[in-house]
Amino acid sequence: MTLQEFNTLDKLTARQHLFDCCGSTRWVDGMMSHFPFASEKQLVDCAATLWYDECNEADWRESFTHHPKIGDVKSLTEKFAGKEQAGVAVATQETIQALAQANTDYEAKNGFIFIVCATGKSAEEMLHILVDRLQNTPEEEVRIAMGEQQKISIIRFKKLLSEGDFRFLKVSQITTHVLDTSLGLPGKAISIRLQAKRNGVWQTLAQGITNADGRIPDLLPPERHLKPDTYKMVFDTGSYYARQNLKTFYPEVAIQFTTFDETHYHVPLLVNPFGYSTYRGS
């Protein structure tokens, strides 16, 4: 469907399509107040403005309830041991059992199911992220999950408007690249938290793990611009080296940096067990 075709739909049908992208009544009401849309960029920009500036925690939590719950062993087996994950390593039963338990623990702690943009992620990666996020407070998790919902909404926009033009979408405003200088290789599967100060306390607002290239290209959703401020990226180097049976002088590396505008900020980390360095990249 093209955007032009979407714009010709009756409002009830258009509304249902938007609700399928994000199950928040307030968000859909706001989107429909701008219907029809002049461009794909206006659609995405409007979605982001409504989601971050006009919706509240109740609206975000409502959207979470419209995601299918896949935390039980049966559904996880179908997802990660079946055809859906073609091209991704098939999960072991041990991993699936651990995922099921972690999902149960997550919902009991936070009051909503685990929300993550799972596209392209293996069961092992999902488990890694889920276990990491279980360490967060419920307040942090609401913020992280609403960011993941925005990523999902954009993916669903692209599926809905399969003939649309989304070339304007860029990578996360804040990115990183970890290089293990002791090996001369990318730092793979390192947990990274992006934090901001709220009421004088550092709180996680986005979280992920590095890919095989040592990067997290989608730490923030596309078109998500943080206000100029001081932020912190926390790299779990201790767990990374523990998996290699190596001791490290730095159990974690925390890098504070200040943004001055809404342009792209790249914060690389060069690390080895006994030293690290960083700089503003491009």
Side-chain angles (χ1 to χ4, degrees), residues 32-174:
M32 287 304 298
S33 70
H34 295 276
F35 179 82
F37 299 96
S39 66
E40 289 85 352
K41 189 174 190 314
Q42 188 211 2
L43 173 75
V44 172
D45 288 348
C46 180
T49 298
L50 288 165
W51 192 237
Y52 289 103
D53 298 339
E54 298 188 25
C55 290
N56 56 34
E57 182 174 336
D59 304 314
W60 302 332
R61 284 177 175 266
E62 180 192 5
S63 75
F64 304 159
T65 66
H66 291 276
H67 284 268
K69 184 176 180 178
I70 57 166
D72 60 279
V73 172
K74 181 176 182 295
S75 59
L76 287 167
T77 300
E78 291 173 353
K79 180 174 178 65
F80 290 109
K83 296 180 180 179
E84 182 175 334
Q85 291 293 309
V88 177
V90 174
T92 64
Q93 276 301 308
E94 182 181 5
T95 297
I96 288 173
Q97 292 281 353
L99 259 176
Q101 184 59 56
N103 269 286
T104 298
D105 295 343
Y106 182 96
E107 186 172 4
K109 178 179 179 179
N110 297 295
F112 54 86
I113 65 171
F114 178 59
I115 305 293
V116 67
C117 184
T119 302
K121 292 181 175 64
S122 68
E124 288 74 17
E125 289 172 319
M126 291 280 285
L127 180 59
H128 187 161
I129 294 168
L130 179 47
V131 169
D132 286 344
R133 283 177 51 183
L134 271 168
Q135 301 173 44
N136 298 328
T137 66
E139 182 181 5
E140 288 176 309
E141 272 306 302
V142 168
R143 291 280 172 179
I144 296 170
M146 61 91 89
E148 295 297 306
Q149 172 62 60
Q150 178 66 1
K151 296 177 191 177
I152 294 167
S153 296
I154 291 175
I155 289 173
R156 290 175 176 175
F157 283 156
K158 294 169 75 173
K159 287 182 179 179
L160 173 64
L161 305 178
S162 58
E163 298 178 55
D165 183 1
F166 290 91
R167 289 176 294 178
F168 64 90
L169 290 173
K170 298 179 177 63
V171 296
S172 168
Q173 182 198 5
I174 296 175

Side-chain angles (χ1 to χ4, degrees), residues 204-222:
T204 301
L205 55 91
Q207 190 168 341
I209 60 171
T210 54
N211 59 20
D213 195 34
R215 302 177 187 270
I216 304 180
D218 63 344
L219 191 58
L220 294 173

